[in-house]
mmCIF file of all heavy atoms in Angstrom:
data_model
loop_
_atom_site.group_PDB
_atom_site.id
_atom_site.type_symbol
_atom_site.label_atom_id
_atom_site.label_comp_id
_atom_site.label_asym_id
_atom_site.label_seq_id
_atom_site.Cartn_x
_atom_site.Cartn_y
_atom_site.Cartn_z
ATOM 1 N N GLN F 72 -48.663 -24.987 29.599
ATOM 2 C CA GLN F 72 -47.721 -25.613 28.678
ATOM 3 C C GLN F 72 -46.306 -25.313 29.143
ATOM 4 O O GLN F 72 -46.050 -24.260 29.748
ATOM 5 C CB GLN F 72 -47.929 -25.047 27.261
ATOM 6 C CG GLN F 72 -49.282 -25.369 26.676
ATOM 7 C CD GLN F 72 -49.775 -24.261 25.760
ATOM 8 O OE1 GLN F 72 -49.533 -23.082 26.025
ATOM 9 N NE2 GLN F 72 -50.492 -24.641 24.726
ATOM 10 N N ASP F 73 -45.377 -26.229 28.846
ATOM 11 C CA ASP F 73 -43.990 -26.057 29.306
ATOM 12 C C ASP F 73 -43.244 -25.096 28.382
ATOM 13 O O ASP F 73 -43.070 -25.364 27.187
ATOM 14 C CB ASP F 73 -43.292 -27.424 29.325
ATOM 15 C CG ASP F 73 -41.863 -27.293 29.837
ATOM 16 O OD1 ASP F 73 -41.582 -26.322 30.584
ATOM 17 O OD2 ASP F 73 -41.034 -28.154 29.475
ATOM 18 N N VAL F 74 -42.786 -23.956 28.932
ATOM 19 C CA VAL F 74 -42.115 -22.942 28.107
ATOM 20 C C VAL F 74 -40.805 -23.486 27.534
ATOM 21 O O VAL F 74 -40.473 -23.229 26.385
ATOM 22 C CB VAL F 74 -41.854 -21.655 28.921
ATOM 23 C CG1 VAL F 74 -41.070 -20.646 28.103
ATOM 24 C CG2 VAL F 74 -43.168 -21.051 29.367
ATOM 25 N N PHE F 75 -40.062 -24.265 28.322
ATOM 26 C CA PHE F 75 -38.784 -24.799 27.825
ATOM 27 C C PHE F 75 -39.006 -25.690 26.598
ATOM 28 O O PHE F 75 -38.291 -25.597 25.605
ATOM 29 C CB PHE F 75 -38.072 -25.592 28.933
ATOM 30 C CG PHE F 75 -36.771 -26.189 28.471
ATOM 31 C CD1 PHE F 75 -35.652 -25.400 28.279
ATOM 32 C CD2 PHE F 75 -36.674 -27.559 28.191
ATOM 33 C CE1 PHE F 75 -34.463 -25.948 27.847
ATOM 34 C CE2 PHE F 75 -35.478 -28.108 27.747
ATOM 35 C CZ PHE F 75 -34.364 -27.292 27.580
ATOM 36 N N THR F 76 -40.040 -26.541 26.670
ATOM 37 C CA THR F 76 -40.333 -27.406 25.535
ATOM 38 C C THR F 76 -40.661 -26.579 24.303
ATOM 39 O O THR F 76 -40.143 -26.817 23.203
ATOM 40 C CB THR F 76 -41.521 -28.326 25.866
ATOM 41 O OG1 THR F 76 -41.260 -28.962 27.099
ATOM 42 C CG2 THR F 76 -41.732 -29.353 24.781
ATOM 43 N N GLN F 77 -41.525 -25.581 24.504
ATOM 44 C CA GLN F 77 -41.875 -24.714 23.373
ATOM 45 C C GLN F 77 -40.620 -24.044 22.815
ATOM 46 O O GLN F 77 -40.439 -23.938 21.608
ATOM 47 C CB GLN F 77 -42.861 -23.632 23.823
ATOM 48 C CG GLN F 77 -44.244 -24.185 24.111
ATOM 49 C CD GLN F 77 -45.279 -23.079 24.173
ATOM 50 O OE1 GLN F 77 -44.960 -21.921 24.416
ATOM 51 N NE2 GLN F 77 -46.533 -23.454 23.957
ATOM 52 N N PHE F 78 -39.743 -23.619 23.739
ATOM 53 C CA PHE F 78 -38.538 -22.898 23.342
ATOM 54 C C PHE F 78 -37.629 -23.766 22.465
ATOM 55 O O PHE F 78 -37.222 -23.359 21.377
ATOM 56 C CB PHE F 78 -37.787 -22.446 24.599
ATOM 57 C CG PHE F 78 -36.516 -21.693 24.328
ATOM 58 C CD1 PHE F 78 -36.551 -20.360 23.945
ATOM 59 C CD2 PHE F 78 -35.286 -22.311 24.463
ATOM 60 C CE1 PHE F 78 -35.386 -19.662 23.691
ATOM 61 C CE2 PHE F 78 -34.113 -21.622 24.204
ATOM 62 C CZ PHE F 78 -34.168 -20.297 23.823
ATOM 63 N N VAL F 79 -37.331 -24.992 22.922
ATOM 64 C CA VAL F 79 -36.399 -25.817 22.147
ATOM 65 C C VAL F 79 -37.025 -26.304 20.847
ATOM 66 O O VAL F 79 -36.355 -26.402 19.830
ATOM 67 C CB VAL F 79 -35.836 -27.011 22.965
ATOM 68 C CG1 VAL F 79 -34.921 -26.507 24.069
ATOM 69 C CG2 VAL F 79 -36.942 -27.870 23.525
ATOM 70 N N TYR F 80 -38.338 -26.561 20.857
ATOM 71 C CA TYR F 80 -38.996 -26.933 19.595
ATOM 72 C C TYR F 80 -39.077 -25.728 18.653
ATOM 73 O O TYR F 80 -39.024 -25.877 17.440
ATOM 74 C CB TYR F 80 -40.397 -27.498 19.852
ATOM 75 C CG TYR F 80 -40.408 -28.977 20.180
ATOM 76 C CD1 TYR F 80 -40.352 -29.422 21.504
ATOM 77 C CD2 TYR F 80 -40.470 -29.926 19.161
ATOM 78 C CE1 TYR F 80 -40.350 -30.768 21.813
ATOM 79 C CE2 TYR F 80 -40.466 -31.282 19.463
ATOM 80 C CZ TYR F 80 -40.415 -31.711 20.785
ATOM 81 O OH TYR F 80 -40.412 -33.037 21.075
ATOM 82 N N GLY F 81 -39.211 -24.558 19.263
ATOM 83 C CA GLY F 81 -39.359 -23.334 18.457
ATOM 84 C C GLY F 81 -38.069 -22.868 17.823
ATOM 85 O O GLY F 81 -38.078 -22.013 16.937
ATOM 86 N N LEU F 82 -36.925 -23.416 18.261
ATOM 87 C CA LEU F 82 -35.647 -22.993 17.688
ATOM 88 C C LEU F 82 -35.477 -23.508 16.261
ATOM 89 O O LEU F 82 -34.956 -22.813 15.393
ATOM 90 C CB LEU F 82 -34.487 -23.534 18.539
ATOM 91 C CG LEU F 82 -33.990 -22.652 19.672
ATOM 92 C CD1 LEU F 82 -32.967 -23.402 20.499
ATOM 93 C CD2 LEU F 82 -33.393 -21.362 19.145
ATOM 94 N N TYR F 83 -35.959 -24.733 16.021
ATOM 95 C CA TYR F 83 -35.737 -25.370 14.725
ATOM 96 C C TYR F 83 -36.281 -24.539 13.563
ATOM 97 O O TYR F 83 -35.556 -24.242 12.610
ATOM 98 C CB TYR F 83 -36.315 -26.792 14.741
ATOM 99 C CG TYR F 83 -36.384 -27.431 13.392
ATOM 100 C CD1 TYR F 83 -35.211 -27.807 12.732
ATOM 101 C CD2 TYR F 83 -37.603 -27.631 12.749
ATOM 102 C CE1 TYR F 83 -35.266 -28.377 11.479
ATOM 103 C CE2 TYR F 83 -37.665 -28.187 11.498
ATOM 104 C CZ TYR F 83 -36.494 -28.566 10.858
ATOM 105 O OH TYR F 83 -36.547 -29.118 9.621
ATOM 106 N N PRO F 84 -37.590 -24.123 13.647
ATOM 107 C CA PRO F 84 -38.101 -23.308 12.533
ATOM 108 C C PRO F 84 -37.344 -21.995 12.349
ATOM 109 O O PRO F 84 -37.267 -21.487 11.229
ATOM 110 C CB PRO F 84 -39.559 -23.047 12.900
ATOM 111 C CG PRO F 84 -39.784 -23.628 14.227
ATOM 112 C CD PRO F 84 -38.630 -24.457 14.621
ATOM 113 N N VAL F 85 -36.785 -21.476 13.440
ATOM 114 C CA VAL F 85 -36.013 -20.236 13.301
ATOM 115 C C VAL F 85 -34.841 -20.463 12.347
ATOM 116 O O VAL F 85 -34.604 -19.685 11.420
ATOM 117 C CB VAL F 85 -35.501 -19.775 14.689
ATOM 118 C CG1 VAL F 85 -34.426 -18.705 14.528
ATOM 119 C CG2 VAL F 85 -36.648 -19.247 15.511
ATOM 120 N N PHE F 86 -34.138 -21.583 12.554
ATOM 121 C CA PHE F 86 -33.007 -21.878 11.676
ATOM 122 C C PHE F 86 -33.477 -22.236 10.271
ATOM 123 O O PHE F 86 -32.850 -21.874 9.284
ATOM 124 C CB PHE F 86 -32.153 -23.018 12.256
ATOM 125 C CG PHE F 86 -31.283 -22.569 13.371
ATOM 126 C CD1 PHE F 86 -31.564 -22.921 14.682
ATOM 127 C CD2 PHE F 86 -30.183 -21.756 13.130
ATOM 128 C CE1 PHE F 86 -30.762 -22.481 15.717
ATOM 129 C CE2 PHE F 86 -29.382 -21.323 14.163
ATOM 130 C CZ PHE F 86 -29.667 -21.684 15.470
ATOM 131 N N LEU F 87 -34.614 -22.941 10.201
ATOM 132 C CA LEU F 87 -35.147 -23.327 8.897
ATOM 133 C C LEU F 87 -35.458 -22.098 8.056
ATOM 134 O O LEU F 87 -34.994 -21.962 6.916
ATOM 135 C CB LEU F 87 -36.416 -24.172 9.084
ATOM 136 C CG LEU F 87 -37.082 -24.597 7.784
ATOM 137 C CD1 LEU F 87 -36.429 -25.861 7.254
ATOM 138 C CD2 LEU F 87 -38.577 -24.789 7.963
ATOM 139 N N VAL F 88 -36.228 -21.179 8.662
ATOM 140 C CA VAL F 88 -36.603 -19.975 7.926
ATOM 141 C C VAL F 88 -35.370 -19.135 7.632
ATOM 142 O O VAL F 88 -35.225 -18.585 6.539
ATOM 143 C CB VAL F 88 -37.656 -19.161 8.722
ATOM 144 C CG1 VAL F 88 -37.926 -17.841 8.032
ATOM 145 C CG2 VAL F 88 -38.931 -19.959 8.873
ATOM 146 N N GLY F 89 -34.445 -19.073 8.601
ATOM 147 C CA GLY F 89 -33.227 -18.292 8.388
ATOM 148 C C GLY F 89 -32.429 -18.833 7.220
ATOM 149 O O GLY F 89 -32.045 -18.088 6.313
ATOM 150 N N ALA F 90 -32.189 -20.144 7.220
ATOM 151 C CA ALA F 90 -31.356 -20.733 6.176
ATOM 152 C C ALA F 90 -32.047 -20.685 4.822
ATOM 153 O O ALA F 90 -31.457 -20.282 3.811
ATOM 154 C CB ALA F 90 -31.007 -22.174 6.533
ATOM 155 N N LEU F 91 -33.329 -21.051 4.826
ATOM 156 C CA LEU F 91 -34.062 -21.122 3.567
ATOM 157 C C LEU F 91 -34.321 -19.722 3.000
ATOM 158 O O LEU F 91 -34.016 -19.426 1.843
ATOM 159 C CB LEU F 91 -35.393 -21.856 3.806
ATOM 160 C CG LEU F 91 -35.897 -22.691 2.640
ATOM 161 C CD1 LEU F 91 -34.932 -23.814 2.334
ATOM 162 C CD2 LEU F 91 -37.295 -23.209 2.965
ATOM 163 N N GLY F 92 -34.873 -18.871 3.859
ATOM 164 C CA GLY F 92 -35.194 -17.508 3.423
ATOM 165 C C GLY F 92 -33.925 -16.739 3.079
ATOM 166 O O GLY F 92 -33.834 -16.108 2.023
ATOM 167 N N GLY F 93 -32.934 -16.811 3.975
ATOM 168 C CA GLY F 93 -31.684 -16.103 3.731
ATOM 169 C C GLY F 93 -30.986 -16.646 2.507
ATOM 170 O O GLY F 93 -30.454 -15.894 1.686
#
Side-chain angles (χ1 to χ4, degrees):
Chain F
Q72 296 148 324
D73 182 25
V74 176
F75 179 74
T76 309
Q77 289 196 337
F78 180 78
V79 292
Y80 275 92
L82 270 173
Y83 169 70
V85 166
F86 283 107
L87 178 85
V88 174
L91 213 63

